[in-house]
PDB file of all heavy atoms in Angstrom:
ATOM      1  N   PRO H 252       6.212  16.175   1.983  1.00  0.00           N
ATOM      2  CA  PRO H 252       5.322  15.024   1.450  1.00  0.00           C
ATOM      3  C   PRO H 252       5.480  15.097  -0.084  1.00  0.00           C
ATOM      4  O   PRO H 252       5.180  16.172  -0.701  1.00  0.00           O
ATOM      5  CB  PRO H 252       4.020  15.216   2.006  1.00  0.00           C
ATOM      6  CG  PRO H 252       4.195  16.016   3.246  1.00  0.00           C
ATOM      7  CD  PRO H 252       5.420  17.021   2.908  1.00  0.00           C
ATOM      8  N   VAL H 253       5.853  13.940  -0.681  1.00  0.00           N
ATOM      9  CA  VAL H 253       5.827  13.833  -2.052  1.00  0.00           C
ATOM     10  C   VAL H 253       5.279  12.449  -2.391  1.00  0.00           C
ATOM     11  O   VAL H 253       5.709  11.468  -1.854  1.00  0.00           O
ATOM     12  CB  VAL H 253       7.320  13.939  -2.760  1.00  0.00           C
ATOM     13  CG1 VAL H 253       7.346  13.632  -4.193  1.00  0.00           C
ATOM     14  CG2 VAL H 253       7.819  15.367  -2.490  1.00  0.00           C
ATOM     15  N   SER H 254       4.432  12.354  -3.304  1.00  0.00           N
ATOM     16  CA  SER H 254       3.800  11.045  -3.675  1.00  0.00           C
ATOM     17  C   SER H 254       4.230  10.710  -5.125  1.00  0.00           C
ATOM     18  O   SER H 254       4.449  11.593  -5.986  1.00  0.00           O
ATOM     19  CB  SER H 254       2.209  11.032  -3.601  1.00  0.00           C
ATOM     20  OG  SER H 254       1.635  11.835  -4.395  1.00  0.00           O
ATOM     21  N   PHE H 255       4.245   9.420  -5.409  1.00  0.00           N
ATOM     22  CA  PHE H 255       4.719   8.861  -6.632  1.00  0.00           C
ATOM     23  C   PHE H 255       3.556   8.232  -7.324  1.00  0.00           C
ATOM     24  O   PHE H 255       3.062   7.068  -7.044  1.00  0.00           O
ATOM     25  CB  PHE H 255       5.849   7.809  -6.195  1.00  0.00           C
ATOM     26  CG  PHE H 255       6.472   7.156  -7.431  1.00  0.00           C
ATOM     27  CD1 PHE H 255       7.516   7.808  -8.031  1.00  0.00           C
ATOM     28  CD2 PHE H 255       6.141   5.910  -7.819  1.00  0.00           C
ATOM     29  CE1 PHE H 255       8.193   7.258  -9.201  1.00  0.00           C
ATOM     30  CE2 PHE H 255       6.727   5.370  -8.953  1.00  0.00           C
ATOM     31  CZ  PHE H 255       7.774   6.047  -9.660  1.00  0.00           C
ATOM     32  N   GLY H 256       3.119   8.872  -8.421  1.00  0.00           N
ATOM     33  CA  GLY H 256       2.165   8.330  -9.260  1.00  0.00           C
ATOM     34  C   GLY H 256       2.595   8.093 -10.647  1.00  0.00           C
ATOM     35  O   GLY H 256       1.856   8.304 -11.631  1.00  0.00           O
ATOM     36  N   LEU H 257       3.758   7.775 -10.753  1.00  0.00           N
ATOM     37  CA  LEU H 257       4.388   7.474 -12.180  1.00  0.00           C
ATOM     38  C   LEU H 257       4.151   6.020 -12.492  1.00  0.00           C
ATOM     39  O   LEU H 257       4.694   5.101 -11.899  1.00  0.00           O
ATOM     40  CB  LEU H 257       5.899   7.802 -12.081  1.00  0.00           C
ATOM     41  CG  LEU H 257       6.632   7.538 -13.486  1.00  0.00           C
ATOM     42  CD1 LEU H 257       6.113   8.392 -14.591  1.00  0.00           C
ATOM     43  CD2 LEU H 257       8.174   7.687 -13.177  1.00  0.00           C
ATOM     44  N   LEU H 258       3.351   5.841 -13.581  1.00  0.00           N
ATOM     45  CA  LEU H 258       3.134   4.383 -14.109  1.00  0.00           C
ATOM     46  C   LEU H 258       4.315   4.104 -14.830  1.00  0.00           C
ATOM     47  O   LEU H 258       4.799   4.774 -15.721  1.00  0.00           O
ATOM     48  CB  LEU H 258       1.897   4.430 -14.920  1.00  0.00           C
ATOM     49  CG  LEU H 258       0.617   4.929 -14.373  1.00  0.00           C
ATOM     50  CD1 LEU H 258      -0.635   4.807 -15.414  1.00  0.00           C
ATOM     51  CD2 LEU H 258       0.220   4.095 -13.151  1.00  0.00           C
ATOM     52  N   THR H 259       4.737   2.798 -14.649  1.00  0.00           N
ATOM     53  CA  THR H 259       5.821   2.160 -15.402  1.00  0.00           C
ATOM     54  C   THR H 259       5.292   0.810 -15.842  1.00  0.00           C
ATOM     55  O   THR H 259       5.208  -0.070 -15.054  1.00  0.00           O
ATOM     56  CB  THR H 259       7.052   2.026 -14.589  1.00  0.00           C
ATOM     57  OG1 THR H 259       6.888   1.368 -13.369  1.00  0.00           O
ATOM     58  CG2 THR H 259       7.669   3.331 -14.197  1.00  0.00           C
ATOM     59  N   THR H 260       4.802   0.800 -17.025  1.00  0.00           N
ATOM     60  CA  THR H 260       3.998  -0.332 -17.494  1.00  0.00           C
ATOM     61  C   THR H 260       4.652  -0.983 -18.721  1.00  0.00           C
ATOM     62  O   THR H 260       5.509  -0.344 -19.503  1.00  0.00           O
ATOM     63  CB  THR H 260       2.575   0.086 -17.839  1.00  0.00           C
ATOM     64  OG1 THR H 260       2.591   1.085 -18.809  1.00  0.00           O
ATOM     65  CG2 THR H 260       1.766   0.628 -16.580  1.00  0.00           C
ATOM     66  N   ASP H 261       4.241  -2.311 -18.984  1.00  0.00           N
ATOM     67  CA  ASP H 261       4.799  -2.806 -20.293  1.00  0.00           C
ATOM     68  C   ASP H 261       3.973  -2.579 -21.540  1.00  0.00           C
ATOM     69  O   ASP H 261       4.550  -2.781 -22.668  1.00  0.00           O
ATOM     70  CB  ASP H 261       4.697  -4.419 -19.886  1.00  0.00           C
ATOM     71  CG  ASP H 261       5.740  -4.959 -18.908  1.00  0.00           C
ATOM     72  OD1 ASP H 261       6.813  -4.329 -18.904  1.00  0.00           O
ATOM     73  OD2 ASP H 261       5.421  -5.778 -18.166  1.00  0.00           O
ATOM     74  N   ASN H 262       2.690  -2.167 -21.399  1.00  0.00           N
ATOM     75  CA  ASN H 262       2.065  -1.814 -22.613  1.00  0.00           C
ATOM     76  C   ASN H 262       0.887  -0.865 -22.340  1.00  0.00           C
ATOM     77  O   ASN H 262       0.617  -0.554 -21.121  1.00  0.00           O
ATOM     78  CB  ASN H 262       1.388  -3.200 -23.213  1.00  0.00           C
ATOM     79  CG  ASN H 262       0.619  -3.952 -22.095  1.00  0.00           C
ATOM     80  OD1 ASN H 262      -0.222  -3.452 -21.520  1.00  0.00           O
ATOM     81  ND2 ASN H 262       1.025  -5.225 -22.014  1.00  0.00           N
ATOM     82  N   GLN H 263       0.198  -0.424 -23.336  1.00  0.00           N
ATOM     83  CA  GLN H 263      -0.920   0.577 -23.179  1.00  0.00           C
ATOM     84  C   GLN H 263      -2.095  -0.013 -22.458  1.00  0.00           C
ATOM     85  O   GLN H 263      -2.696   0.747 -21.778  1.00  0.00           O
ATOM     86  CB  GLN H 263      -1.263   1.085 -24.544  1.00  0.00           C
ATOM     87  CG  GLN H 263      -0.285   1.930 -25.243  1.00  0.00           C
ATOM     88  CD  GLN H 263      -0.789   2.604 -26.523  1.00  0.00           C
ATOM     89  OE1 GLN H 263      -1.842   2.305 -26.984  1.00  0.00           O
ATOM     90  NE2 GLN H 263       0.076   3.477 -27.069  1.00  0.00           N
ATOM     91  N   GLU H 264      -2.360  -1.357 -22.599  1.00  0.00           N
ATOM     92  CA  GLU H 264      -3.452  -1.973 -21.787  1.00  0.00           C
ATOM     93  C   GLU H 264      -3.145  -1.784 -20.373  1.00  0.00           C
ATOM     94  O   GLU H 264      -4.181  -1.474 -19.596  1.00  0.00           O
ATOM     95  CB  GLU H 264      -3.622  -3.455 -22.210  1.00  0.00           C
ATOM     96  CG  GLU H 264      -4.753  -4.051 -21.505  1.00  0.00           C
ATOM     97  CD  GLU H 264      -4.822  -5.513 -21.948  1.00  0.00           C
ATOM     98  OE1 GLU H 264      -4.454  -5.953 -23.005  1.00  0.00           O
ATOM     99  OE2 GLU H 264      -5.501  -6.265 -21.181  1.00  0.00           O
ATOM    100  N   GLN H 265      -1.909  -2.108 -19.793  1.00  0.00           N
ATOM    101  CA  GLN H 265      -1.736  -1.939 -18.381  1.00  0.00           C
ATOM    102  C   GLN H 265      -1.890  -0.536 -17.938  1.00  0.00           C
ATOM    103  O   GLN H 265      -2.356  -0.238 -16.920  1.00  0.00           O
ATOM    104  CB  GLN H 265      -0.276  -2.582 -18.078  1.00  0.00           C
ATOM    105  CG  GLN H 265      -0.060  -3.912 -18.266  1.00  0.00           C
ATOM    106  CD  GLN H 265       1.335  -4.395 -17.969  1.00  0.00           C
ATOM    107  OE1 GLN H 265       2.306  -3.561 -17.884  1.00  0.00           O
ATOM    108  NE2 GLN H 265       1.503  -5.645 -17.827  1.00  0.00           N
ATOM    109  N   THR H 266      -1.325   0.322 -18.888  1.00  0.00           N
ATOM    110  CA  THR H 266      -1.564   1.899 -18.549  1.00  0.00           C
ATOM    111  C   THR H 266      -2.933   2.225 -18.376  1.00  0.00           C
ATOM    112  O   THR H 266      -3.333   3.079 -17.380  1.00  0.00           O
ATOM    113  CB  THR H 266      -0.775   2.594 -19.704  1.00  0.00           C
ATOM    114  OG1 THR H 266       0.506   2.095 -19.911  1.00  0.00           O
ATOM    115  CG2 THR H 266      -0.658   4.136 -19.187  1.00  0.00           C
ATOM    116  N   MET H 267      -3.830   1.843 -19.374  1.00  0.00           N
ATOM    117  CA  MET H 267      -5.196   2.122 -19.325  1.00  0.00           C
ATOM    118  C   MET H 267      -5.836   1.574 -17.983  1.00  0.00           C
ATOM    119  O   MET H 267      -6.615   2.304 -17.358  1.00  0.00           O
ATOM    120  CB  MET H 267      -5.910   1.450 -20.498  1.00  0.00           C
ATOM    121  CG  MET H 267      -7.445   1.801 -20.520  1.00  0.00           C
ATOM    122  SD  MET H 267      -7.870   3.587 -20.528  1.00  0.00           S
ATOM    123  CE  MET H 267      -7.529   3.987 -22.246  1.00  0.00           C
ATOM    124  N   GLU H 268      -5.412   0.344 -17.619  1.00  0.00           N
ATOM    125  CA  GLU H 268      -5.993  -0.232 -16.412  1.00  0.00           C
ATOM    126  C   GLU H 268      -5.667   0.627 -15.199  1.00  0.00           C
ATOM    127  O   GLU H 268      -6.490   0.691 -14.209  1.00  0.00           O
ATOM    128  CB  GLU H 268      -5.505  -1.714 -16.275  1.00  0.00           C
ATOM    129  CG  GLU H 268      -5.998  -2.647 -17.259  1.00  0.00           C
ATOM    130  CD  GLU H 268      -5.325  -4.091 -17.105  1.00  0.00           C
ATOM    131  OE1 GLU H 268      -4.354  -4.199 -16.370  1.00  0.00           O
ATOM    132  OE2 GLU H 268      -5.733  -4.978 -17.884  1.00  0.00           O
ATOM    133  N   ARG H 269      -4.551   1.205 -15.159  1.00  0.00           N
ATOM    134  CA  ARG H 269      -3.995   1.916 -13.961  1.00  0.00           C
ATOM    135  C   ARG H 269      -4.395   3.356 -14.096  1.00  0.00           C
ATOM    136  O   ARG H 269      -4.123   4.147 -13.053  1.00  0.00           O
ATOM    137  CB  ARG H 269      -2.573   1.796 -13.919  1.00  0.00           C
ATOM    138  CG  ARG H 269      -2.149   0.367 -13.378  1.00  0.00           C
ATOM    139  CD  ARG H 269      -0.788  -0.083 -13.727  1.00  0.00           C
ATOM    140  NE  ARG H 269      -0.587  -1.464 -13.262  1.00  0.00           N
ATOM    141  CZ  ARG H 269      -0.963  -2.593 -13.789  1.00  0.00           C
ATOM    142  NH1 ARG H 269      -1.674  -2.531 -15.011  1.00  0.00           N
ATOM    143  NH2 ARG H 269      -0.715  -3.768 -13.377  1.00  0.00           N
ATOM    144  N   SER H 270      -4.917   3.763 -15.121  1.00  0.00           N
ATOM    145  CA  SER H 270      -5.312   5.341 -15.180  1.00  0.00           C
ATOM    146  C   SER H 270      -6.769   5.516 -15.218  1.00  0.00           C
ATOM    147  O   SER H 270      -7.229   6.405 -15.768  1.00  0.00           O
ATOM    148  CB  SER H 270      -4.662   5.877 -16.496  1.00  0.00           C
ATOM    149  OG  SER H 270      -5.078   5.236 -17.618  1.00  0.00           O
ATOM    150  N   GLY H 271      -7.518   4.479 -14.700  1.00  0.00           N
ATOM    151  CA  GLY H 271      -8.944   4.790 -14.441  1.00  0.00           C
ATOM    152  C   GLY H 271      -9.852   3.526 -14.818  1.00  0.00           C
ATOM    153  O   GLY H 271     -10.989   3.737 -14.786  1.00  0.00           O
ATOM    154  N   SER H 272      -9.275   2.387 -15.204  1.00  0.00           N
ATOM    155  CA  SER H 272     -10.243   1.391 -15.362  1.00  0.00           C
ATOM    156  C   SER H 272     -10.156   0.169 -14.398  1.00  0.00           C
ATOM    157  O   SER H 272     -10.260   0.471 -13.138  1.00  0.00           O
ATOM    158  CB  SER H 272     -10.149   0.815 -16.889  1.00  0.00           C
ATOM    159  OG  SER H 272      -8.936   0.192 -17.078  1.00  0.00           O
ATOM    160  N   LYS H 273      -9.788  -0.959 -14.762  1.00  0.00           N
ATOM    161  CA  LYS H 273      -9.757  -2.186 -13.949  1.00  0.00           C
ATOM    162  C   LYS H 273      -8.972  -2.025 -12.492  1.00  0.00           C
ATOM    163  O   LYS H 273      -9.440  -2.397 -11.550  1.00  0.00           O
ATOM    164  CB  LYS H 273      -9.126  -3.389 -14.612  1.00  0.00           C
ATOM    165  CG  LYS H 273      -9.978  -3.932 -15.722  1.00  0.00           C
ATOM    166  CD  LYS H 273      -9.294  -5.185 -16.341  1.00  0.00           C
ATOM    167  CE  LYS H 273      -9.738  -5.597 -17.598  1.00  0.00           C
ATOM    168  NZ  LYS H 273      -9.000  -6.630 -18.175  1.00  0.00           N
ATOM    169  N   ALA H 274      -7.832  -1.342 -12.743  1.00  0.00           N
ATOM    170  CA  ALA H 274      -6.905  -1.377 -11.557  1.00  0.00           C
ATOM    171  C   ALA H 274      -7.120   0.014 -10.790  1.00  0.00           C
ATOM    172  O   ALA H 274      -6.278   0.402  -9.950  1.00  0.00           O
ATOM    173  CB  ALA H 274      -5.450  -1.500 -11.973  1.00  0.00           C
ATOM    174  N   GLY H 275      -8.206   0.827 -11.101  1.00  0.00           N
ATOM    175  CA  GLY H 275      -8.409   2.032 -10.405  1.00  0.00           C
ATOM    176  C   GLY H 275      -7.645   3.029 -11.063  1.00  0.00           C
ATOM    177  O   GLY H 275      -7.059   2.984 -12.195  1.00  0.00           O
ATOM    178  N   ASN H 276      -7.439   4.274 -10.328  1.00  0.00           N
ATOM    179  CA  ASN H 276      -6.751   5.403 -10.910  1.00  0.00           C
ATOM    180  C   ASN H 276      -5.626   5.687  -9.942  1.00  0.00           C
ATOM    181  O   ASN H 276      -5.871   6.066  -8.811  1.00  0.00           O
ATOM    182  CB  ASN H 276      -7.674   6.608 -10.956  1.00  0.00           C
ATOM    183  CG  ASN H 276      -7.105   7.743 -11.620  1.00  0.00           C
ATOM    184  OD1 ASN H 276      -5.946   8.215 -11.238  1.00  0.00           O
ATOM    185  ND2 ASN H 276      -7.774   8.280 -12.650  1.00  0.00           N
ATOM    186  N   LYS H 277      -4.421   5.440 -10.494  1.00  0.00           N
ATOM    187  CA  LYS H 277      -3.252   5.655  -9.681  1.00  0.00           C
ATOM    188  C   LYS H 277      -2.943   7.056  -9.343  1.00  0.00           C
ATOM    189  O   LYS H 277      -2.218   7.427  -8.273  1.00  0.00           O
ATOM    190  CB  LYS H 277      -1.988   4.997 -10.257  1.00  0.00           C
ATOM    191  CG  LYS H 277      -2.159   3.513 -10.476  1.00  0.00           C
ATOM    192  CD  LYS H 277      -2.350   2.792  -9.217  1.00  0.00           C
ATOM    193  CE  LYS H 277      -2.600   1.217  -9.422  1.00  0.00           C
ATOM    194  NZ  LYS H 277      -3.012   0.542  -8.245  1.00  0.00           N
ATOM    195  N   GLY H 278      -3.512   8.045 -10.138  1.00  0.00           N
ATOM    196  CA  GLY H 278      -3.496   9.479  -9.799  1.00  0.00           C
ATOM    197  C   GLY H 278      -4.284   9.734  -8.533  1.00  0.00           C
ATOM    198  O   GLY H 278      -3.768  10.440  -7.641  1.00  0.00           O
ATOM    199  N   PHE H 279      -5.479   9.111  -8.375  1.00  0.00           N
ATOM    200  CA  PHE H 279      -6.296   9.311  -7.207  1.00  0.00           C
ATOM    201  C   PHE H 279      -5.607   8.721  -6.048  1.00  0.00           C
ATOM    202  O   PHE H 279      -5.486   9.346  -4.938  1.00  0.00           O
ATOM    203  CB  PHE H 279      -7.648   8.554  -7.427  1.00  0.00           C
ATOM    204  CG  PHE H 279      -8.598   8.813  -6.399  1.00  0.00           C
ATOM    205  CD1 PHE H 279      -9.686   9.788  -6.495  1.00  0.00           C
ATOM    206  CD2 PHE H 279      -8.565   8.106  -5.155  1.00  0.00           C
ATOM    207  CE1 PHE H 279     -10.569   9.944  -5.545  1.00  0.00           C
ATOM    208  CE2 PHE H 279      -9.555   8.313  -4.205  1.00  0.00           C
ATOM    209  CZ  PHE H 279     -10.547   9.191  -4.235  1.00  0.00           C
ATOM    210  N   GLU H 280      -4.952   7.566  -6.218  1.00  0.00           N
ATOM    211  CA  GLU H 280      -4.234   6.959  -5.057  1.00  0.00           C
ATOM    212  C   GLU H 280      -3.049   7.730  -4.643  1.00  0.00           C
ATOM    213  O   GLU H 280      -2.682   7.780  -3.413  1.00  0.00           O
ATOM    214  CB  GLU H 280      -3.787   5.489  -5.444  1.00  0.00           C
ATOM    215  CG  GLU H 280      -4.921   4.560  -5.642  1.00  0.00           C
ATOM    216  CD  GLU H 280      -4.557   3.075  -6.008  1.00  0.00           C
ATOM    217  OE1 GLU H 280      -3.322   2.759  -5.839  1.00  0.00           O
ATOM    218  OE2 GLU H 280      -5.263   2.432  -6.592  1.00  0.00           O
ATOM    219  N   ALA H 281      -2.247   8.356  -5.653  1.00  0.00           N
ATOM    220  CA  ALA H 281      -1.109   9.083  -5.324  1.00  0.00           C
ATOM    221  C   ALA H 281      -1.483  10.348  -4.408  1.00  0.00           C
ATOM    222  O   ALA H 281      -0.848  10.686  -3.513  1.00  0.00           O
ATOM    223  CB  ALA H 281      -0.397   9.538  -6.544  1.00  0.00           C
ATOM    224  N   MET H 282      -2.612  10.985  -4.790  1.00  0.00           N
ATOM    225  CA  MET H 282      -3.073  12.043  -4.026  1.00  0.00           C
ATOM    226  C   MET H 282      -3.589  11.672  -2.697  1.00  0.00           C
ATOM    227  O   MET H 282      -3.301  12.395  -1.725  1.00  0.00           O
ATOM    228  CB  MET H 282      -4.129  12.845  -4.812  1.00  0.00           C
ATOM    229  CG  MET H 282      -4.649  14.184  -4.085  1.00  0.00           C
ATOM    230  SD  MET H 282      -3.379  15.329  -3.708  1.00  0.00           S
ATOM    231  CE  MET H 282      -3.206  16.091  -5.362  1.00  0.00           C
ATOM    232  N   THR H 283      -4.279  10.550  -2.487  1.00  0.00           N
ATOM    233  CA  THR H 283      -4.799  10.217  -1.185  1.00  0.00           C
ATOM    234  C   THR H 283      -3.437   9.926  -0.394  1.00  0.00           C
ATOM    235  O   THR H 283      -3.380  10.177   0.906  1.00  0.00           O
ATOM    236  CB  THR H 283      -5.691   9.078  -1.210  1.00  0.00           C
ATOM    237  OG1 THR H 283      -5.109   7.958  -1.900  1.00  0.00           O
ATOM    238  CG2 THR H 283      -7.003   9.376  -1.848  1.00  0.00           C
ATOM    239  N   THR H 284      -2.449   9.266  -1.007  1.00  0.00           N
ATOM    240  CA  THR H 284      -1.230   9.051  -0.191  1.00  0.00           C
ATOM    241  C   THR H 284      -0.621  10.394   0.246  1.00  0.00           C
ATOM    242  O   THR H 284      -0.147  10.473   1.409  1.00  0.00           O
ATOM    243  CB  THR H 284      -0.277   8.230  -1.067  1.00  0.00           C
ATOM    244  OG1 THR H 284      -0.793   7.002  -1.381  1.00  0.00           O
ATOM    245  CG2 THR H 284       1.198   8.170  -0.420  1.00  0.00           C
ATOM    246  N   LEU H 285      -0.516  11.326  -0.640  1.00  0.00           N
ATOM    247  CA  LEU H 285      -0.024  12.544  -0.325  1.00  0.00           C
ATOM    248  C   LEU H 285      -0.712  13.358   0.892  1.00  0.00           C
ATOM    249  O   LEU H 285      -0.169  13.887   1.787  1.00  0.00           O
ATOM    250  CB  LEU H 285      -0.032  13.522  -1.522  1.00  0.00           C
ATOM    251  CG  LEU H 285       0.640  14.875  -1.455  1.00  0.00           C
ATOM    252  CD1 LEU H 285       2.187  14.640  -1.452  1.00  0.00           C
ATOM    253  CD2 LEU H 285       0.266  15.820  -2.542  1.00  0.00           C
ATOM    254  N   ILE H 286      -2.134  13.263   0.687  1.00  0.00           N
ATOM    255  CA  ILE H 286      -2.878  13.850   1.921  1.00  0.00           C
ATOM    256  C   ILE H 286      -2.560  13.103   3.248  1.00  0.00           C
ATOM    257  O   ILE H 286      -2.399  13.803   4.206  1.00  0.00           O
ATOM    258  CB  ILE H 286      -4.412  13.647   1.480  1.00  0.00           C
ATOM    259  CG1 ILE H 286      -4.709  14.648   0.286  1.00  0.00           C
ATOM    260  CG2 ILE H 286      -5.243  14.170   2.760  1.00  0.00           C
ATOM    261  CD1 ILE H 286      -6.098  14.320  -0.361  1.00  0.00           C
ATOM    262  N   GLU H 287      -2.575  11.895   3.230  1.00  0.00           N
ATOM    263  CA  GLU H 287      -2.227  11.125   4.424  1.00  0.00           C
ATOM    264  C   GLU H 287      -0.885  11.471   4.873  1.00  0.00           C
ATOM    265  O   GLU H 287      -0.717  11.823   6.180  1.00  0.00           O
ATOM    266  CB  GLU H 287      -2.416   9.637   4.259  1.00  0.00           C
ATOM    267  CG  GLU H 287      -2.136   8.863   5.500  1.00  0.00           C
ATOM    268  CD  GLU H 287      -2.367   7.383   5.378  1.00  0.00           C
ATOM    269  OE1 GLU H 287      -3.014   6.927   4.410  1.00  0.00           O
ATOM    270  OE2 GLU H 287      -1.885   6.693   6.341  1.00  0.00           O
ATOM    271  N   MET H 288       0.143  11.680   4.047  1.00  0.00           N
ATOM    272  CA  MET H 288       1.453  11.981   4.490  1.00  0.00           C
ATOM    273  C   MET H 288       1.621  13.426   4.973  1.00  0.00           C
ATOM    274  O   MET H 288       2.318  13.736   5.917  1.00  0.00           O
ATOM    275  CB  MET H 288       2.463  11.660   3.411  1.00  0.00           C
ATOM    276  CG  MET H 288       2.563  10.246   3.025  1.00  0.00           C
ATOM    277  SD  MET H 288       3.228   9.297   4.450  1.00  0.00           S
ATOM    278  CE  MET H 288       4.887   9.831   4.681  1.00  0.00           C
ATOM    279  N   MET H 289       0.813  14.305   4.404  1.00  0.00           N
ATOM    280  CA  MET H 289       0.850  15.665   4.849  1.00  0.00           C
ATOM    281  C   MET H 289       0.302  15.729   6.306  1.00  0.00           C
ATOM    282  O   MET H 289       0.938  16.415   7.173  1.00  0.00           O
ATOM    283  CB  MET H 289      -0.154  16.621   3.997  1.00  0.00           C
ATOM    284  CG  MET H 289       0.384  16.784   2.564  1.00  0.00           C
ATOM    285  SD  MET H 289      -0.845  17.613   1.529  1.00  0.00           S
ATOM    286  CE  MET H 289      -1.167  19.152   2.363  1.00  0.00           C
ATOM    287  N   ASN H 290      -0.635  15.006   6.555  1.00  0.00           N
ATOM    288  CA  ASN H 290      -1.260  14.978   7.973  1.00  0.00           C
ATOM    289  C   ASN H 290      -0.221  14.188   8.847  1.00  0.00           C
ATOM    290  O   ASN H 290      -0.177  14.489  10.062  1.00  0.00           O
ATOM    291  CB  ASN H 290      -2.563  14.382   7.945  1.00  0.00           C
ATOM    292  CG  ASN H 290      -3.647  15.272   7.273  1.00  0.00           C
ATOM    293  OD1 ASN H 290      -3.678  16.481   7.627  1.00  0.00           O
ATOM    294  ND2 ASN H 290      -4.448  14.803   6.496  1.00  0.00           N
ATOM    295  N   LEU H 291       0.292  13.093   8.465  1.00  0.00           N
ATOM    296  CA  LEU H 291       1.363  12.459   9.352  1.00  0.00           C
ATOM    297  C   LEU H 291       2.474  13.315   9.654  1.00  0.00           C
ATOM    298  O   LEU H 291       2.908  13.258  10.822  1.00  0.00           O
ATOM    299  CB  LEU H 291       1.795  11.170   8.508  1.00  0.00           C
ATOM    300  CG  LEU H 291       2.791  10.375   9.355  1.00  0.00           C
ATOM    301  CD1 LEU H 291       2.205   9.776  10.658  1.00  0.00           C
ATOM    302  CD2 LEU H 291       3.332   9.126   8.462  1.00  0.00           C
TER     303      LEU H 291
END
């Protein structure tokens, strides 16, 4: 199991949104994906 939490964004605002503000934290999401895949 390997999860992909690499942000590929157009600007710093989008990056900020995905690293803990409006769009959540994609690191958190990548780890929950990893946990689910480990169990699967």
Side-chain angles (χ1 to χ4, degrees):
V253 174
S254 64
F255 184 79
L257 177 63
L258 302 180
T259 53
T260 57
D261 288 325
N262 54 53
Q263 289 187 353
E264 181 181 338
Q265 289 177 349
T266 311
M267 179 61 80
E268 289 173 356
R269 287 156 180 78
S270 60
S272 68
K273 289 183 201 174
N276 185 307
K277 299 304 180 185
F279 190 98
E280 290 178 22
M282 183 57 78
T283 57
T284 296
L285 188 71
I286 294 166
E287 184 174 344
M288 291 304 292
M289 288 171 63
N290 289 313
L291 180 61

